[in-house]
Amino acid sequence: MKMLSIRSVGLSLSLEKGLPLGSGLGSSAASAAAAAVAVNELFGRKLEVKDLVLAGLESEAKVSGYHADNIAPAIMGGFVLIRSYDPLELMSLQFPVEKDLIFVLVSPDFEAPTKKMRAALPAEIGMSHHVWNCSQAGALVASVLQGDLVGLGKALSSDKIVEPKRAPLIPGMEAVKKAALQAGAFGCTISGAGPTAVAVVDSEGRGVEVGERMVEAFWKEGNLKAVAMVRRLDRVGARLVGSVPR
């Protein structure tokens, strides 16, 4: 509201959340993105995309820290590289429109508090792991731009710093990753801080099959019930889908 220079109007928002809380899916950013876009639409769409991201960042800072990992792609759609925060520099990475990218999201009935999962990360990392992960980050960006699902999957699955520390804290996660790859996924890793596991495939049919195997692995190896969702890459981001005249 401050960015819109509106200071004397009361506003009430009602949100229907389609994501489980504390799942590693960026649900707080989804809420912030929806609110920012809705308010901007309500008052004449005066703010640019970058302004909406900045507004969402302020909201995220109150909940999960000042980072644009989730809010930027939630508003902009697709893949977004955050080059800098001071000043904020965002780079949209365009996945080829002629190719499909499907995500399989499997959320177990398990709490993985972000604070706890962040505390599990090492304070220092070795040079070899640093170089390796930087290489995977570069490969991930190149694969996105080229529409290379094999390369994207390999990069996604090859973390040597974060996943090895967090996976043991989520019952069955290692077996879930193995099950996803054996079922035909190009790659699989932990979504955000977890506990959701995310795999990438090239068709919704394959996604359903991979999701079933991942759910089974969570139950068999982790004794956890889980729910699978199959979702296509959203290239647009948060937007107005309808309005009710007053």
Side-chain angles (χ1 to χ4, degrees), residues 46-222:
K46 298 177 181 179
L47 299 180
E48 300 294 332
V49 169
K50 187 175 180 180
D51 296 324
L52 295 176
V53 174
L54 285 169
L57 265 174
E58 292 301 322
S59 176
E60 280 283 82
K62 307 293 185 182
V63 181
S64 61
Y66 191 85
H67 64 88
D69 302 17
N70 299 320
I71 189 66
I75 288 177
M76 298 170 64
F79 293 90
V80 179
L81 175 65
I82 300 137
R83 185 177 183 277
S84 168
Y85 281 102
D86 188 18
L88 181 64
E89 292 185 37
L90 305 172
M91 301 176 67
S92 180
L93 307 178
Q94 299 298 320
F95 190 83
V97 295
E98 68 274 11
K99 295 189 176 183
D100 284 333
L101 175 56
I102 310 296
F103 297 97
V104 183
L105 304 160
V106 180
S107 300
D109 186 12
F110 180 77
E111 291 188 12
T114 300
K115 185 176 181 179
K116 177 182 178 181
M117 301 305 275
R118 285 179 179 170
L121 301 181
E124 298 180 356
I125 58 175
M127 179 62 74
S128 62
H129 283 179
H130 170 69
V131 171
W132 172 265
N133 267 38
C134 284
S135 296
Q136 303 316 306
L140 182 65
V141 170
S143 297
V144 167
L145 295 176
Q146 295 171 5
D148 177 7
L149 291 182
V150 174
L152 191 157
K154 286 182 178 179
L156 192 74
S157 304
S158 300
D159 173 28
K160 289 187 176 182
I161 297 174
V162 178
E163 185 179 317
K165 297 297 183 181
R166 287 179 169 171
L169 301 179
I170 304 172
M173 179 58 74
E174 293 179 6
V176 169
K177 180 175 182 176
K178 183 178 180 180
L181 297 176
Q182 289 180 340
F186 293 106
C188 180
T189 190
I190 302 170
S191 177
T196 296
V198 55
V200 291
V201 296
D202 59 358
S203 72
E204 293 184 354
R206 176 60 59 84
V208 171
E209 181 180 348
V210 169
E212 290 175 350
R213 300 290 86 77
M214 293 169 71
V215 168
E216 290 174 0
F218 260 129
W219 177 248
K220 183 177 180 180
E221 301 297 332

